Amino acid sequence: PHSSTMDRLPIFIPVPSTLMEAHLTPVPISALHTLWTWSEVHRELPLQATVEKLQECIPVGWKKEVLLEKVKKHELDTPFGQFINKETQKIVKCFDGIHSSLRELQALMMSASVGDSALGSPHLIETALALLSLHIPRHWAELVGESAPPTSWSLQEWTQDLVLRYYFIDRVLSTPFGKMPTYWLGGFFYPKTFLSVVQQMVLKPSSCVNATAEQTGYHVELTARDKDHIRDPPPEGEIFVYGAYMWGCGFEKTASLDIHDSPPKTVPVALPLLHLFAVPKQDHGDPKALPTSASEAFHCPCFISNKSRGKSDHLFSLAVTNSEIPPSRWAMRNLSFTLRPF
């Protein structure tokens, strides 16, 4: 006979896909044995050494009081203040999530817990197995989001990229808005928001109440200079951007800044500084508003990364001209450039 409780249970009980995937993914017995079988020398296990090294190398972020003081200097009611607060909160969330999982792993390895009690968290298993093979835990990539490097990167490269982004954001946070000589646009988590903030600088104060960033656009020029060549910030409404990469072409840093054809499947080309001008869209009389020989140029779109291609609109475009190569060739080559090297 069935009990009334059992009779009321549904025939099908849905299980979260993340939980199903974690339990259905084959787990090597040897890996589990390494993880959960301890000896007197367990502190010398590769996983323990990896966890300790990561805890040492990855910053914990700013102290709350210090961060609050730094953000307040930019006035939270301003567009830039809201932007930089959003950036800092994002990277703090990344560091908190990463250090939390590392602490969990370390506590588990230092304890004598084995069996089901130790294996109760699918998230912890996935993190441990990834670090054991020096790969990127999926949870960490999800924390960083769209701008995260691919998980094919080495653990060292991946974490180093995140640390460099932290130091860049800290520098922006510590510098008055408009006083930075150059920006690593790919170092931001929300570069599109930052571009909108710069665009608002060129709007007339009398029209700021109803004005939006859509009323302005960007004219982009490729320069022959590197980041270290720039000492002073550009005028208001302009920024120098470094760290961009072009795909589907070759590039020679000469006086003419030639962008030429290249063999298929070549690595992306690192570009020198880009000079971005925020220009009102209705101001077509400004010589910077439109590129020279616009009809003969291919407007090369810029994305955050190749992962964002097709998922979101491009950020801005660069007019590419070459007297020997028609614009249609670049379109067929799917020429584009990205803020991130992937």
Side-chain angles (χ1 to χ4, degrees):
H2 298 286
S3 67
S4 58
T5 301
M6 291 295 292
D7 288 338
R8 287 196 297 271
L9 286 176
I11 297 176
F12 173 75
I13 302 177
V15 179
S17 59
T18 53
L19 186 62
M20 286 291 291
E21 183 177 357
H23 283 293
L24 292 177
T25 302
V27 178
I29 300 300
S30 59
L32 289 181
H33 179 79
T34 304
L35 288 173
W36 315 118
T37 303
W38 312 116
S39 65
E40 294 180 357
V41 293
H42 68 273
R43 285 184 58 82
E44 297 178 7
L45 290 175
L47 181 61
Q48 179 71 22
T50 300
V51 169
E52 291 179 350
K53 187 66 176 177
L54 288 170
Q55 288 177 318
E56 176 186 342
C57 296
I58 298 177
V60 294
W62 307 271
K63 291 183 178 180
K64 288 185 178 180
E65 303 79 18
V66 175
L67 179 58
L68 186 59
E69 277 301 313
K70 286 191 172 187
V71 172
K72 278 183 177 179
K73 292 180 180 179
H74 294 284
E75 302 180 7
L76 285 174
D77 59 340
T78 63
F80 181 77
Q82 295 171 6
F83 160 76
I84 199 62
N85 182 56
K86 188 178 179 181
E87 285 285 335
T88 55
Q89 294 303 319
K90 174 67 175 180
I91 200 161
V92 165
K93 182 179 178 181
C94 293
F95 285 154
D96 286 349
I98 290 172
H99 278 290
S100 176
S101 60
L102 291 175
R103 285 193 299 269
E104 286 181 42
L105 274 177
Q106 189 175 49
L108 182 59
M109 288 186 289
M110 297 301 293
S111 72
S113 300
V114 295
D116 292 341
S117 60
L119 296 174
S121 169
H123 158 66
L124 195 59
I125 296 173
E126 192 272 334
T127 301
L129 291 177
L131 295 181
L132 189 66
S133 57
L134 300 181
H135 290 158
I136 314 302
R138 181 176 54 187
H139 174 61
W140 294 11
E142 291 172 349
L143 280 172
V144 176
E146 179 186 5
S147 61
T151 52
S152 59
W153 279 29
S154 71
L155 184 61
Q156 180 181 358
E157 291 173 326
W158 198 95
T159 52
Q160 184 181 37
D161 177 79
L162 187 61
V163 172
L164 289 175
R165 297 177 78 174
Y166 164 72
Y167 286 121
F168 167 70
I169 292 173
D170 180 64
R171 185 184 171 203
V172 175
L173 182 63
S174 304
T175 306
F177 181 48
K179 300 300 182 181
M180 286 276 289
T182 59
Y183 286 95
W184 178 25
L185 203 53
F188 288 133
F189 291 91
Y190 307 101
K192 190 171 184 178
T193 304
F194 176 73
L195 290 172
S196 296
V197 172
V198 177
Q199 284 175 302
Q200 293 180 39
M201 295 174 63
V202 303
L203 298 173
K204 296 178 180 179
S206 59
S207 61
C208 278
V209 176
N210 299 316
T212 62
E214 284 74 17
Q215 295 178 350
T216 61
Y218 274 104
H219 168 60
V220 184
E221 292 181 358
L222 185 63
T223 76
R225 291 178 284 184
D226 294 322
K227 174 172 68 75
D228 297 333
H229 294 164
I230 306 297
R231 301 291 182 182
D232 301 315
E236 187 176 85
E238 301 178 18
I239 54 173
F240 286 111
V241 172
Y242 65 91
Y245 296 83
M246 187 165 280
W247 304 74
C249 73
F251 174 76
E252 292 183 7
K253 191 177 176 183
T254 60
S256 59
L257 297 174
D258 288 332
I259 294 178
H260 55 79
D261 211 351
S262 66
K265 299 183 179 180
T266 53
V267 295
V269 178
L271 294 176
L273 277 180
L274 297 171
H275 193 174
L276 274 64
F277 303 83
V279 180
K281 289 183 178 178
Q282 67 272 19
D283 188 10
H284 296 302
D286 192 316
K288 297 188 182 71
L290 293 172
T292 56
S293 304
S295 61
E296 300 176 2
F298 172 76
H299 296 277
C300 180
C302 175
F303 300 93
I304 296 176
S305 71
N306 279 312
K307 293 190 296 182
S308 62
R309 182 194 294 270
K311 296 181 181 179
S312 59
D313 294 334
H314 66 277
L315 302 173
F316 48 82
S317 60
L318 170 68
V320 175
T321 58
N322 187 312
S323 58
E324 299 178 359
I325 301 177
S328 58
R329 172 82 66 82
W330 298 127
M332 293 175 63
R333 274 294 180 91
N334 206 16
L335 185 70
S336 65
F337 67 108
T338 60
L339 303 180
R340 308 284 281 149
F342 47 82

